[in-house]
Amino acid sequence: MKPSDTPKTYRVKSFGCQMNVYDGERMAELLDAKGIKPAAEGEDADLVVLNTCHIREKATEKVYSDIGRIEKAGREAGKKPMIAVAGCVAQAEGEEIMARAPAVGMVVGPQAYHRLGDMLDRAVKGERSTDTDMPEDAKFAALPKRRKVSPTAFLTVQEGCDKFCTYCVVPYTRGAEISRPYSDLVDEAAKLVDAGAREVTLLGQNVNAWSGEDDKGRLQGLDGLIRELAKLPDLKRIRYTTSHPNDMTEGLIAAHGEVDKLMPYLHLPVQSGSDRVLKAMNRSHTAESYLKVLDRVRAARPDIALSGDFIVGFPGETDAEFEETLSLIDAVGYAAAFSFKYSPRPGTPAATMDGQIAPEVMDERLQRLQAHLNRDQLAFNEASVGKTCDVLIERKGRKPGQWLGKSPWLQSVFFDSDLQIGDMVRAELVHAGPSSLQGRLLETVSA
Ligand code: 5AD
Ligand code: SF4
C-alpha cells in the first residue's frame, strides 16, 4: 500500500446488532478526536469503516461487494478511499480479507477498535495492519469521552458470551463474557445524560448476566445497576437487551415491578418451542422453564411487552417440532419478535450436524411462523388503542410535519403535531397498524 494523506472525512457503516451501532458510535468519536470529520450525506468519504456482522447468511460476501463498491465510487471520483473492516467478520475472517482485498488497509476486531487511531497512522505511512486481539477490558478505558448524543443512547455494559449455543458464532467473534465495571458505567451513563440522552439502553450479548461490585464493594446484578442509574434525575427511561432466560434473576424480575424508569418491555429469545431442538441448540432451558420465567415477569409487571428471537430449520427440526414453536408463540402472545432461517456458521457445532433442512422447507416454516408473530403484534398494538402514555420523540417521520417516537412498550408512535427531537409527550394512542400507532398529542411533559 502506498503512503497517503491523512483522511479528512470518514464514514462508519454499521451492520447487524445494536452492539455494533454502539461500537460504530465509539469508533466515530475516536476519529472525531483525531480531527477527522464525518462525511456529509452523499459525499464520498476519505476513510470508510465497514463495521460488519457475522451472525447470519452471506456476511463475508457482502463485505467483499461493499469493498468493491467503495473502490469503484472512489475511482469514479478520482480518489482512493482508505478502507477499514471492523466488527465480527473482521474478527472471524481478518487474515483472509487482508489476503483477498488489497484495498483494505486495516482489519480490526470488536475488542481491539480502540487501537484504530494507531492503525490509521500506520495506514497513512502505507502499512496495512490487522488487530484481532482480545485484550481484557482495555478498550473502554482507552476510548475518548462520549460526545453529544441523541435522546436515546446505547451503553454497552457486557460483552461476549459463554453460552455456546451450537448455531451461534458470537462466543468466537466477541469472545468470553466480560462485565464492564459498575463505576465506569454509572459514569458513562451520567455523561450520556449530560450530553442529552433521556433514554439509555444497556447492551450486552447476555446483558442480564452482567455483574459487578458497587462503590461499597457489594456484588450487584443488572437490577442493582438499573436501580442506580434510575437515580439520575434527567434520565427518564432505561431498557436492556439481549437477555438469556437462565439469567433472569429474581432481582431483575422484581425491578420490572418496582423501578418506574425501567420500561415495560423484555426481549427474551427462546429460539424454539421444542425441548429436543433446544437441547441440540445447547440452550440449557426448556419451553416450560422459559414460559415459567415469563409468568413471573408478567406477575411483576402485568403490562409488559414481550419480544423474542426464533430460528426455524435448525438441523433435524421436524414438522412436529416446528409446530411446538408455533404453540409456544400462541401461548405467549408476543408484542414483537425477530425470526430467522437457520444459517450454518463456519466453525460452530451445528454447521456440521446431520439433518440440515432444505431451503424451501425453511422458507415455508418462516412464513408460517411470521404469520403467527404478525398476528400477535397487530393484536398487541390494537389492544393499546385508547391508552394514554408518554412517548419520547426520536426523529422526524417520512411525511412532512410528521414526528416519530417510542411508547414505553417500544412501539413506534407517529404524530402530526409540531414537535422536537427529545420531547417527552403525553399522548393518547388512537389508531393501530401492524408495526406502528398513531398518537394524539395531549401535552408536552418535558423537553
Ligand atoms: N442462524 C440463524 N439465526 C441465528 N441467530 C444467531 N445465530 C444464528 C444462525 N446461525 C439469531 C438468534 C439470535 C439472534 C441474535 O440471531 O435468534 O438470538
Ligand atoms: Fe449466541 Fe447463545 Fe450466546 Fe446468544 S446466548 S450470543 S445465541 S451463544
Side-chain angles (χ1 to χ4, degrees), residues 57-130:
E57 310 285 0
K58 303 194 178 84
T60 321
E61 291 93 290
K62 192 168 159 14
V63 174
Y64 289 114
S65 64
D66 280 344
I67 294 168
R69 212 169 306 129
I70 297 163
E71 279 188 283
K72 183 162 173 272
R75 266 198 308 276
E76 283 166 6
K79 286 187 181 180
K80 205 159 185 270
M82 241 179 221
I83 303 174
V85 179
C88 291
V89 179
Q91 187 69 35
E93 322 242 358
E95 294 301 326
E96 200 192 321
I97 295 171
M98 271 296 178
R100 256 182 70 181
V104 173
M106 291 156 273
V107 165
V108 62
Q111 302 304 349
Y113 66 76
H114 53 296
R115 301 176 182 157
L116 185 62
D118 296 340
M119 297 174 80
L120 186 62
D121 294 341
R122 270 178 271 153
V124 168
K125 289 189 217 145
E127 288 168 35
R128 305 171 80 204
S129 54
T130 303

Side-chain angles (χ1 to χ4, degrees), residues 55-56 167-168 269 271 309-311 340-343 345:
I55 198 115
R56 284 176 297 272
Y167 51 81
C168 186
Q271 317 297 356
D309 287 348
F310 299 89
I311 297 176
F340 314 101
K341 287 185 271 187
Y342 168 70
S343 161
R345 303 285 76 207

Side-chain angles (χ1 to χ4, degrees), residues 341-376:
K341 287 185 271 187
Y342 168 70
S343 161
R345 303 285 76 207
T348 59
T352 49
M353 281 180 187
D354 290 341
Q356 302 284 326
I357 305 290
E360 53 279 12
V361 175
M362 287 209 227
D363 285 336
E364 199 253 342
R365 285 183 188 167
L366 188 66
Q367 272 187 26
R368 285 184 62 203
L369 183 105
Q370 288 182 341
H372 283 242
L373 293 170
N374 292 343
R375 173 202 67 196
D376 292 348

Side-chain angles (χ1 to χ4, degrees), residues 161-165 167-171 205-206 244 271 283:
C161 182
D162 294 339
K163 299 278 193 294
F164 289 93
C165 299
Y167 51 81
C168 186
V169 81
V170 165
Q205 263 92 28
N206 250 306
H244 192 283
Q271 317 297 356
R283 287 290 296 177

